[in-house]
Amino acid sequence: MSTEETQRLRVFLVDDHAMFRAGVRAELGLHVDVVGEASAVAEAVQKISALEPDVVLLDVHMPDGGGRAVLDAMRRSHPQVRFLALSVSDAAEDVIGLIRAGARGYVTKTISPDELADAIRRVADGDAVFSPRLAGFVLDAFAARPDAPVADPELDQLTNREREVLRLLARGYAYKEIAKELFISIKTVETHVSNVLRKLQMSNRYELSRWAADRRLV
């Protein structure tokens, strides 16, 4: 693809740090057309729906649900929009979770501007793109369970934060410990647990723990 074709790509940024968004916009300005940005899930969903960019750069962790929540809201209604996770996190569960949710790639924020521009182009072309070490997580995940479906309908119901709470709960953390680990209130932890129980139609944390262990989330 020529430089002129690359410049025509329309990119949208989703990240809750304004300075980071400004930096990405400045660095990518010579390569692509950054058509908009958002700092929260609801704002991102509204603007992406209106602008219909080619590629969305998506942060994984944000206070209101993060990249997973955006993907859950957008993937069926706007299948033509490609999503590339751009995150500080290099945790295997984050990588696999975003790919299962529909992201076409996952790169970390240590990526250079030129490499990021190339990743955007490749995702727009339909390729899957990963930072080198992260590709191994995806290969290992599906090699370990070759018959596993790419999508898990039950797991896909949960937001990124609900999955974090579930994982810690299954590891035996008390509500107070989960709250401290995730920098949220105990009341918020209780709300997340109630939501997970309702979505998965379970009645207690022991059922949740077995369910999480079966899916290797612990």
Side-chain angles (χ1 to χ4, degrees):
M1 182 179 292
S2 70
T3 302
E4 290 182 355
E5 289 173 326
T6 304
Q7 289 177 336
R8 290 201 298 269
L9 287 177
R10 302 171 70 252
V11 175
F12 190 93
L13 309 177
V14 182
D15 194 288
D16 61 335
H17 292 94
M19 289 185 65
F20 178 76
R21 294 198 311 272
V24 172
R25 180 186 287 274
E27 294 287 358
L28 290 179
L30 296 177
H31 303 281
V32 301
D33 182 9
V34 180
V35 297
E37 59 185 59
S39 61
V41 172
E43 179 189 14
V45 170
Q46 180 182 22
K47 290 183 176 180
I48 294 169
S49 297
L51 294 168
E52 296 188 345
D54 299 305
V55 177
V56 175
L57 293 180
L58 197 61
D59 193 15
V60 177
H61 295 290
M62 296 189 297
D64 56 349
R68 181 61 182 270
V70 176
L71 277 164
D72 288 343
M74 300 298 305
R75 62 182 176 178
R76 290 185 179 89
S77 60
H78 292 74
Q80 77 284 4
V81 178
R82 309 279 187 173
F83 291 86
L84 173 61
L86 176 62
S87 176
V88 69
S89 171
D90 61 359
E93 58 266 27
D94 287 335
V95 178
I96 296 167
L98 265 290
I99 298 305
R100 286 188 182 277
R104 292 293 303 174
Y106 194 117
V107 296
T108 61
K109 290 182 176 179
T110 57
I111 193 170
S112 73
D114 287 342
E115 290 172 333
L116 180 56
D118 182 63
I120 291 169
R121 175 186 60 77
R122 291 170 58 194
V123 165
D125 285 343
D127 292 342
V129 180
F130 301 93
S131 293
R133 190 170 76 89
L134 306 187
F137 294 154
V138 179
L139 293 174
D140 290 346
F142 293 109
R145 297 181 61 194
D147 59 339
V150 173
D152 184 329
E154 289 185 305
L155 189 61
D156 287 349
Q157 296 180 75
L158 306 182
T159 66
N160 197 58
R161 180 62 86 186
E162 287 168 353
R163 287 158 58 92
E164 291 175 334
V165 170
L166 171 61
R167 188 177 299 110
L168 294 175
L169 192 72
R171 289 175 180 171
Y173 282 56
Y175 284 9
K176 182 178 180 180
E177 294 171 322
I178 295 174
K180 182 178 180 181
E181 181 76 14
L182 299 180
F183 302 100
I184 57 179
S185 69
I186 296 176
K187 181 66 176 177
T188 300
V189 173
E190 293 173 348
T191 298
H192 285 313
V193 173
S194 295
N195 288 340
V196 172
L197 287 169
R198 173 179 52 79
K199 289 180 179 180
L200 300 181
Q201 298 182 353
M202 296 180 186
S203 58
N204 57 63
R205 66 180 295 168
Y206 305 105
E207 291 182 359
L208 286 178
S209 295
R210 288 196 299 271
W211 186 90
D214 287 344
R215 284 160 174 76
R216 302 185 181 185
L217 298 178
V218 181

